[in-house]
Amino acid sequence: AQKVTQAQTEISVVEKEDVTLDCVYETRDTTYYLFWYKQPPSGELVFLIRRNSFDEQNEISGRYSWNFQKSTSSFNFTITASQVVDSAVYFCALSGMFSGGYNKLIFGAGTRLAVHP
Amino acid sequence: KAGVTQTPRYLIKTRGQQVTLSCSPISGHRSVSWYQQTPGQGLQFLFEYFSETQRNKGNFPGRFSGRQFSNSRSEMNVSTLELGDSALYLCASSLATENEQFFGPGTRLTVL
């Protein structure tokens, strides 16, 4: 089965704390893609990153970093020195041929992050 | 470059009516996908259109349908609305396949 699990439903931190959002996936595909999206209160899903299954190199973009580990089927997202503007719901997603196609995203339930001043 | 646009942004309908939602993808993008987001079921894939053809379909009843025009704009239609169809409907566009998908602001549909 193709599945994405975000076990953390809600996380609350104080500004400037580091926070890691967990994502665990299941797939039969050998070639697949993993994504993170941010959904602020406005509702629009904002693309953050896409990673293919052959690229396990960790990525850093400003205060954001991603740790992809195939051995544990995890694709975790860390925000360093969190800010109030980071408050949103964050979704991890998976796509692959067995999932129904590369453009069919299977989403996790999301993690609501609240950053307090 | 303009992003994905969706119209209308908000819609209120009553049970039994039908509704049509519109999505204009990013210029040059040929793939348009639709998703339904509800508090209970989360984000679920409805269907994908590519070059005017439905390429993929999620597990939704036949009341949900869509189409894509030659300019890549897409519409989705829901007939015989039910209360459970109340949701945020999101449209995403991508260049082709195996590309990043970019989402529009969504249409919030309320069925009374």
Side-chain angles (χ1 to χ4, degrees):
Chain A
Q2 325 302 310
K3 187 180 173 183
V4 175
T5 302
Q6 294 181 255
Q8 304 150 308
T9 307
E10 291 191 36
I11 299 176
S12 181
V13 300
V14 176
E15 222 175 3
K16 295 183 184 169
E17 277 188 51
D18 297 348
V19 57
T20 295
L21 310 181
D22 297 333
C23 172
V24 173
Y25 62 93
E26 295 174 35
T27 181
R28 289 188 294 159
D29 287 298
T30 53
T31 301
Y32 53 89
Y33 291 92
L34 294 164
F35 304 78
W36 275 95
Y37 284 88
K38 172 183 179 180
Q39 188 175 44
S42 61
E44 183 171 345
L45 282 171
V46 178
F47 171 81
L48 295 177
I49 190 170
R50 182 187 70 146
R51 174 67 79 221
N52 77 49
S53 52
F54 297 109
D55 183 2
E56 285 193 73
Q57 193 171 5
N58 290 334
E59 173 131 353
I60 297 175
S61 175
R63 295 184 298 108
Y64 295 171
S65 63
W66 291 269
N67 183 354
F68 176 28
Q69 291 196 337
K70 282 177 80 169
S71 61
T72 55
S73 297
S74 66
F75 186 43
N76 296 337
F77 172 33
T78 297
I79 302 174
T80 303
S82 59
Q83 300 176 1
V84 172
V85 293
D86 296 327
S87 297
V89 181
Y90 291 86
F91 291 94
C92 180
L94 164 73
S95 75
M97 287 313 295
F98 278 112
S99 310
Y102 292 116
N103 279 3
K104 176 183 176 182
L105 298 181
I106 295 173
F107 285 89
T111 297
R112 182 176 298 277
L113 173 65
V115 182
H116 302 284
Chain B
K1 205 178 217 183
V4 179
T5 57
Q6 291 186 246
T7 56
R9 294 292 312 278
Y10 301 91
L11 208 46
I12 300 175
K13 293 285 187 179
T14 55
R15 275 184 302 174
Q17 286 187 310
Q18 77 163 16
V19 67
T20 299
L21 312 181
S22 180
C23 171
S24 292
I26 292 170
S27 178
H29 284 195
R30 295 167 63 193
S31 169
V32 174
S33 299
W34 289 89
Y35 293 81
Q36 181 197 63
Q37 185 177 24
T38 60
Q41 299 299 316
L43 279 155
Q44 293 186 288
F45 174 83
L46 280 156
F47 28 65
E48 181 205 1
Y49 286 86
F50 183 83
S51 293
E52 301 179 65
T53 301
Q54 186 181 87
R55 188 158 68 171
N56 213 336
K57 191 176 188 309
N59 189 24
F60 278 82
R63 299 185 298 106
F64 292 81
S65 63
R67 59 178 174 166
Q68 187 180 35
F69 302 95
S70 58
N71 61 357
S72 293
R73 189 178 72 85
S74 177
E75 289 181 347
M76 68 163 278
N77 184 276
V78 188
S79 62
T80 319
L81 283 166
E82 300 176 0
L83 295 179
D85 298 333
S86 294
L88 179 66
Y89 290 88
L90 292 159
C91 162
S93 81
S94 66
L95 206 53
T97 189
E98 300 190 58
N99 298 106
E100 296 91 341
Q101 287 194 50
F102 297 94
F103 283 80
T107 293
R108 187 163 296 280
L109 171 65
T110 302
V111 182
L112 302 174

